[in-house]
Amino acid sequence: LGSTVTQLSNLTISNATVANAVVDSVNVAGFMGIPQNSQNGNYNVVLADSGKHLYHPAGQAAATYTIPANSNVAFTTGTAITFVNGSANNVSIAITTDTMTLANSANTATRVLTANGVATCVKVTSTSWIISGSGLS
């Protein structure tokens, strides 16, 4: 330990657990699935939501999930956040001062996710995101 390994051959690892492993200075090893953060009402997305899905459960009123400005929460470029609406009521997906563009368009307005809709938003530059999904308008 403490030295750099440049070549490995015939290495076998079993039952290893790695938490918060840094692949390099930019990429962090992620999740095997898409962990859930269930939110019942309006919600401001936080850094810990990176790589997760925000779930709006059945029976909940309409809500707005807001992605904050890069100047307030600096998500890494390449961050993906998925939104899932399990409610019969719409979820609005908004952004503050940065830009969120609907995929395959130039539209940058707040998006609406209908019942049983799923959408993923990916940060593509320091202040811009692109969003796509089913049940998304």
Side-chain angles (χ1 to χ4, degrees), residues 80-122:
I81 300 169
T82 298
F83 301 87
V84 179
N85 185 7
S87 171
N89 296 301
N90 292 342
V91 170
S92 294
I93 303 169
I95 195 160
T96 55
T97 58
D98 295 343
T99 303
M100 179 178 60
T101 304
L102 179 62
N104 203 33
S105 80
N107 190 326
T108 59
T110 294
R111 309 280 30 116
V112 174
L113 190 61
T114 59
N116 299 311
V118 177
T120 298
C121 198
V122 178

Side-chain angles (χ1 to χ4, degrees), residues 18-100:
V18 177
N20 300 320
V22 175
V23 177
D24 58 36
S25 62
V26 175
N27 303 297
V28 177
F31 304 105
M32 293 297 289
I34 306 174
Q36 183 179 93
N37 178 357
S38 183
Q39 294 295 324
N40 295 332
N42 295 337
Y43 178 71
N44 291 317
V45 179
V46 298
L47 197 57
D49 293 322
S50 298
K52 296 181 180 178
H53 78 275
L54 298 175
Y55 179 65
H56 190 64
Q60 299 304 311
T64 299
Y65 294 171
T66 303
I67 299 170
N70 185 70
S71 58
N72 291 332
V73 179
F75 291 97
T76 302
T77 300
T79 293
I81 300 169
T82 298
F83 301 87
V84 179
N85 185 7
S87 171
N89 296 301
N90 292 342
V91 170
S92 294
I93 303 169
I95 195 160
T96 55
T97 58
D98 295 343
T99 303
M100 179 178 60

Side-chain angles (χ1 to χ4, degrees), residues 4-13:
T4 302
V5 175
T6 57
Q7 181 178 1
L8 294 175
S9 60
N10 300 322
L11 176 66
T12 302
I13 299 174

